[in-house]
């Protein structure tokens, strides 16, 4: 069974449909990119996958062994000025594991530190988040997502607002995580990255959606519109 299966789903908010006829299957260990123009429902789809909203119709099914997902939302100006240390930000990814406990335990702190080391930000764990550069903030938020789940990461435009050097660094981190077994679903406007690094593509557009392999996507009208637009 696929890790996530979406069948004839219709998504929207406030009673307004933004994407319909969404069908795809994501297997464990895949890197899948979600493409589409602004307003076509990419972020809404991500919220549906995270169970933050319910589809108007259709089904979202998850396979056995999926305990949850680490989520990196789009970053807004308020998040960039958050008054907390890097360690506090990363540790907050463990909130769902606290249960009845009022404080983080030894295991939570070890996992957070391991992920900060993995993303090379352990030396700045006591630094205030708002004092970090854009790339360092992305690393901290990625470490937070990893602390929530190493099995699956769902990322909404993780490279938005970053310069090319930092963007390439973020992409490299994601590709290494994927090579080590993490399933990654990534919303992006970077078609070149999607064609180069993903295994499958979900393309949302007004009135419908497309899903398939990268090679299949290269033969569609959708890629032609990107290239000529």
């Amino acid at each position: 069974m696929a890790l996530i299966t979406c069948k004839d789903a219709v998504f929207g908010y406030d009673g307004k449909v933004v994407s319909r006829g969404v069908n795809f299957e994501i297997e464990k260990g895949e890197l899948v990119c979600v493409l589409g123009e602004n307003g076509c429902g990419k972020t809404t789809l991500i919220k549906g996958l995270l169970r933050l909203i319910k589809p108007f119709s259709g089904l979202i099914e998850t396979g056995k062994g999926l305990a949850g997902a680490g989520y990196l939302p789009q970053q807004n100006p308020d998040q960039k000025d958050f008054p907390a240390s890097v360690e506090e930000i990363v540790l907050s990814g463990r909130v769902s594991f606290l249960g009845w406990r009022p404080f983080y335990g030894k295991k939570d702190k070890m996992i957070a530190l391991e992920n900060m080391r993995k993303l090379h930000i352990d030396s700045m764990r006591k630094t205030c988040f708002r004092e970090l550069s854009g790339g360092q903030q992305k690393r901290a938020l990625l470490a937070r997502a990893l602390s929530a789940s190493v099995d699956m990461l769902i990322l909404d435009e993780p490279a938005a607002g970053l310069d090319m050097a930092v963007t390439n660094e973020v992409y490299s981190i994601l590709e290494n995580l994927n090579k080590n077994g993490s399933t990654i679903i990534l919303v992006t406007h970077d078609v070149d990255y999607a064609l180069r690094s993903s295994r499958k593509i979900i393309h949302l557009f007004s009135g419908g959606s497309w899903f398939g392999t990268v090679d299949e996507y290269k033969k569609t009208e959708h890629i032609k519109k990107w290239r000529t637009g």
Side-chain angles (χ1 to χ4, degrees):
M1 182 179 181
L3 198 62
I4 297 180
T5 301
C6 191
K7 297 181 179 179
D8 298 322
V10 176
F11 294 100
Y13 54 90
D14 296 333
K16 177 185 177 182
V17 173
V18 295
S19 58
R20 65 177 71 249
V22 181
N23 293 277
F24 58 81
E25 290 187 350
I26 297 175
E27 304 289 342
K28 184 177 181 180
E30 290 186 322
L31 193 160
V32 179
C33 283
V34 182
L35 301 175
E37 301 293 342
N38 291 332
C40 67
K42 298 186 297 297
T43 296
T44 305
L45 169 62
I46 293 303
K47 290 180 179 179
L49 297 181
L50 292 166
R51 308 290 188 180
L52 298 176
I53 62 172
K54 293 182 179 180
F56 290 168
S57 62
L59 295 173
I60 299 177
E61 300 175 342
T62 56
K64 294 181 179 179
L66 180 60
Y71 175 42
L72 177 61
Q74 290 188 40
Q75 200 171 358
N76 59 49
D78 291 335
Q79 290 172 317
K80 292 181 180 180
D81 198 37
F82 199 72
S85 70
V86 169
E87 185 174 40
E88 290 170 330
I89 292 290
V90 177
L91 263 173
S92 68
R94 301 293 301 169
V95 167
S96 63
F97 297 93
L98 289 179
W100 56 268
R101 294 180 290 125
F103 304 106
Y104 297 113
K106 183 177 180 180
K107 181 179 178 180
D108 300 312
K109 294 177 181 179
M110 287 179 62
I111 289 174
L113 180 57
E114 178 184 349
N115 287 319
M116 285 187 283
R117 286 173 176 165
K118 187 180 296 184
L119 296 173
H120 309 294
I121 55 172
D122 53 302
S123 63
M124 55 187 74
R125 60 184 181 274
K126 299 301 181 182
T127 304
C128 184
F129 182 76
R130 61 188 173 193
E131 295 176 6
L132 303 180
S133 67
Q136 290 169 339
Q137 288 186 345
K138 289 290 184 181
R139 285 191 188 193
L141 294 173
L142 275 173
R144 179 186 184 278
L146 277 173
S147 295
S149 173
V150 295
D151 296 321
M152 173 174 283
L153 295 174
I154 298 179
L155 313 164
D156 196 350
E157 299 193 38
L162 302 180
D163 62 35
M164 184 58 66
V166 178
T167 294
N168 289 335
E169 183 179 5
V170 169
Y171 286 159
S172 178
I173 290 169
L174 295 179
E175 288 166 13
N176 286 331
L177 291 170
N178 180 241
K179 288 177 182 177
N180 288 321
S182 296
T183 305
I184 296 177
I185 303 173
L186 169 67
V187 173
T188 181
H189 284 283
D190 191 339
V191 182
D192 290 331
Y193 172 77
L195 297 179
R196 181 178 70 250
S197 301
S198 64
R199 184 173 301 177
K200 295 176 182 175
I201 287 175
I202 301 167
H203 184 109
L204 302 181
F205 55 89
S206 178
S209 69
W210 182 95
F211 172 69
T213 66
V214 170
D215 287 340
E216 291 170 337
Y217 186 70
K218 291 177 180 178
K219 300 175 184 177
T220 68
E221 292 297 318
H222 304 298
I223 187 63
K224 294 178 181 178
K225 290 180 180 178
W226 281 108
R227 292 308 190 195
T228 58

